[in-house]
Amino acid sequence: MVLASAPGKCILFGEHAVVYGQPAVAVAIDARIRVKIEKSESGWQIDGMKFDKSRHPHLDAILKRMWTGDGGAPLSVQIESDLFGAAGLGSSAAICAATAAGILHIRGTPVDELPLRGIATTAHLAEAEAQGGRASPIDTSTSTLGGAVFVSDKRESLAEWKYTRDLRIDGVQRTWEIHSVSLPQSLQEASLVIGFTGRPGPTSQMVAKVADLLKRQPEKMEDIERIGNVTRAGATALSLGNLQAVGIAMNECHRLLQGIGVSDSDLDRMVEAALPTSLGAKMTGAGGGGCMIALTQEPRRTAEAIEMVGGHTMTSRLGAPGVDVKTSD
Ligand code: PMV
């Protein structure tokens, strides 16, 4: 039996703008997906039930790519999650990364030789397949590598370059340079409080909404470029451990995201509630529901403030370990 896990993620800077070639930064969080994989005597099973591929497209996409071992003999997969579901915290990417790592180990790769780049690549391709061909590699890379990940259209000097990912999306060849940002000790003095609206963040709908806005008001592309500039400033602040500057960049990102119509009244209310006890706060991910995040040195007070206005909260460090595999008898 193999137990594999991978973290969820929060986008700190750059959501939506990353779709138009701008950079983005995400951190892995202390909430994980755990996947238990074992051979099954009673056919393909998921969480003790018959495996219904249409209900688990991400898992199906990974298994199709990777599981030819023992002639594709049936497996039993159990998934446990600490993450709010469909909330923009990267649960499907974490399922892809953990399952890819677990299958590699079942196929004979020792735990200390698991190829992170290969896992991230397979997870990205499976996520894209399950999402109708559209996925940036930010979620799957952050879930695989852990820590903080900086995705850009070029190699950046302030972070450690890891690999290049590319994918043809809607007939256009896209290329992303994936970097790890090493997080200075001072960042451990702050926490991220994640506030969930209780409603899913409809990613493809929100991405389409921004595309429509840019068609009707092409001048809004300046805001997309501004998000890119704030993201670079935020990534520099992160790499230097300058908490105040990270917070300022988060606030600025939120204001710009409001300007392109992807925040909503619940997210804005939670951000407002968090600000008095925070260094910075913003919506995270696609918006239109989903989650906001606050960078804070008073996580209990910040979480209480967010809950007072109706949010569900969890608290995390900035950065958490990436994919992990254990064998058990
Ligand atoms: O819903 P999430 O957290 O996976 O965020 C999606 C991020 C977007 O920039 C809105 C879309 C994308 O593919 O990068």
Side-chain angles (χ1 to χ4, degrees), residues 25-260:
V25 177
V27 288
I29 55 172
D30 292 324
R32 301 180 79 81
I33 291 279
R34 277 173 285 277
V35 179
K36 184 158 105 181
I37 309 169
E38 56 196 326
K39 303 256 171 76
S40 166
E41 304 275 288
S42 39
W44 282 91
Q45 302 248 307
I46 172 129
D47 294 334
M49 320 254 281
K50 192 167 176 295
F51 183 17
D52 175 355
K53 293 179 182 178
S54 64
R55 290 192 57 208
H56 300 281
H58 293 86
L59 204 55
D60 182 43
I62 280 283
L63 292 169
K64 254 189 347 217
R65 277 169 193 279
M66 298 187 68
W67 183 240
T68 49
D70 287 0
L75 297 175
S76 162
V77 181
Q78 282 184 43
I79 301 175
E80 259 179 44
S81 174
D82 306 330
L83 295 161
F84 299 125
L89 298 181
S91 59
S92 46
I95 288 175
C96 290
T99 309
I103 295 281
L104 277 177
H105 186 53
I106 291 183
R107 280 171 31 185
T109 308
V111 170
D112 54 1
E113 289 175 25
L114 287 170
L116 294 184
R117 177 188 172 162
I119 292 168
T121 299
T122 307
H124 179 213
L125 295 176
E127 186 170 63
E129 181 185 325
Q131 293 174 189
R134 294 187 198 96
S136 87
I138 191 156
D139 285 19
T140 40
S141 289
T142 308
S143 195
T144 304
L145 299 174
V149 168
F150 186 10
V151 172
S152 178
D153 61 340
K154 57 178 194 289
R155 292 198 192 185
E156 304 280 348
S157 54
L158 64 86
E160 185 191 348
W161 177 81
K162 291 286 186 183
Y163 51 84
T164 305
R165 279 294 319 122
D166 49 32
L167 186 67
R168 215 173 164 73
I169 300 184
D170 296 333
V172 180
Q173 187 70 18
R174 301 266 177 204
T175 301
W176 298 270
E177 303 294 345
I178 313 296
H179 309 74
S180 275
V181 183
S182 59
L183 296 173
Q185 191 56 35
S186 58
L187 289 173
Q188 298 308 328
E189 289 163 21
S191 303
L192 275 184
V193 175
I194 301 160
F196 179 37
T197 54
R199 288 178 292 112
T203 305
S204 48
Q205 216 172 301
M206 299 312 287
V207 170
K209 185 175 172 185
V210 174
D212 184 53
L213 175 78
L214 291 171
K215 209 150 108 199
R216 285 185 291 107
Q217 291 175 251
E219 69 279 8
K220 286 280 181 190
M221 192 50 96
E222 283 172 24
D223 285 341
I224 297 289
E225 283 157 16
R226 282 191 194 108
I227 293 176
N229 293 337
V230 173
T231 298
R232 285 184 196 289
T236 305
L238 201 65
S239 69
L240 297 173
N242 184 341
L243 283 174
Q244 273 71 24
V246 173
I248 291 168
M250 288 170 69
N251 290 342
E252 184 59 11
C253 232
H254 186 69
R255 200 183 61 75
L256 290 164
L257 289 164
Q258 284 176 314
I260 57 167

Side-chain angles (χ1 to χ4, degrees), residues 9 11 15-16 18-19 88 136 139 203 207 285-286:
K9 68 91 193 43
I11 297 181
E15 49 272 269
H16 288 289
V18 68
V19 175
S136 87
D139 285 19
T203 305
V207 170

